[in-house]
Amino acid sequence: MSDNPKREPSPREKVQRLKVLARRAPAFWRGALVVFFVVFTTGILVILRMPRVYESETVILARDAIRTDPYDNTPRIQAQRLGPKIKDMLLARSRLEKIIVELGLYQDEIEKFGMLEAVQEMRTQIGFRTRDSDMFVISFQSTDRDLAQLVTARLAEW
């Protein structure tokens, strides 16, 4: 015996229930259509009001000037050694502060919270990834496409 007094409906009962629902559905198609169009147009309006985010990328080529071990010349080891160094140089506070001041970025954050918060905000919009053993990709996201391109160019300058 089952502890549950409710039993699972048989396949025949499920089909009968679907037939009943199918007979009742045409009576409510107008309401369903209205709800669909309201949700659809609201979604389109929300999407159109959202600001676009542009991402500019550049590829840099970097090589080790000094090799400490002549046997560590495999591409993977070079990327593991060079990647963190380049990323640290890229995200250095002094470098980012200079770019922020030169281009007049994050003025509201600087006035409200200071330069440190502006640098932190800029770091969240900078991307860095390894492409090959000596090729790295730097990217920057902004709502202004020209600004994204300009900042990415400045970040790639050494």
Side-chain angles (χ1 to χ4, degrees):
M1 288 208 148
S2 172
D3 292 338
N4 190 0
K6 291 189 175 185
R7 63 177 181 79
E8 181 72 23
S10 69
R12 174 174 280 157
E13 291 171 340
K14 289 180 181 180
V15 169
Q16 289 296 331
R17 181 73 180 143
L18 285 175
K19 286 180 182 178
V20 169
L21 287 175
R23 280 193 304 251
R24 291 182 185 174
F28 301 102
W29 71 273
R30 289 185 184 110
L33 191 62
V34 167
V35 170
F36 171 77
F37 279 118
V38 167
V39 170
F40 181 76
T41 55
T42 303
I44 295 295
L45 291 175
V46 167
I47 289 171
L48 291 176
R49 287 186 159 263
M50 291 177 64
R52 291 187 175 157
V53 176
Y54 297 95
E55 183 174 21
S56 178
E57 291 186 345
T58 187
V59 177
I60 59 169
L61 180 67
R63 295 187 186 198
D64 249 345
I66 300 173
R67 289 192 183 162
T68 56
D69 189 2
Y71 301 107
D72 285 345
N73 60 358
T74 63
R76 192 173 122 212
I77 292 175
Q78 286 179 358
Q80 287 176 348
R81 187 175 50 241
L82 269 179
K85 291 178 186 178
I86 294 173
K87 186 174 183 179
D88 286 343
M89 287 174 37
L90 176 71
L91 299 177
R93 180 179 172 188
S94 60
R95 214 163 162 254
L96 296 181
E97 278 183 8
K98 188 165 46 164
I99 294 172
I100 289 171
V101 170
E102 285 177 8
L103 300 177
L105 304 173
Y106 308 110
Q107 294 301 320
D108 295 336
E109 282 86 0
I110 292 172
E111 290 174 8
K112 290 181 185 175
F113 307 110
M115 182 59 82
L116 184 59
E117 284 298 318
V119 169
Q120 287 299 100
E121 178 66 26
M122 187 171 187
R123 283 182 179 153
T124 62
Q125 296 173 345
I126 295 174
F128 179 81
R129 65 182 190 274
T130 304
R131 192 173 202 189
D132 250 349
S133 64
D134 52 0
M135 292 171 69
F136 302 92
V137 177
I138 299 171
S139 63
F140 183 76
Q141 293 180 347
S142 176
T143 55
D144 180 16
R145 65 179 179 199
D146 296 329
L147 181 65
Q149 189 175 16
L150 183 63
V151 171
T152 305
R154 287 287 292 125
L155 287 171
E157 291 175 3
W158 296 105

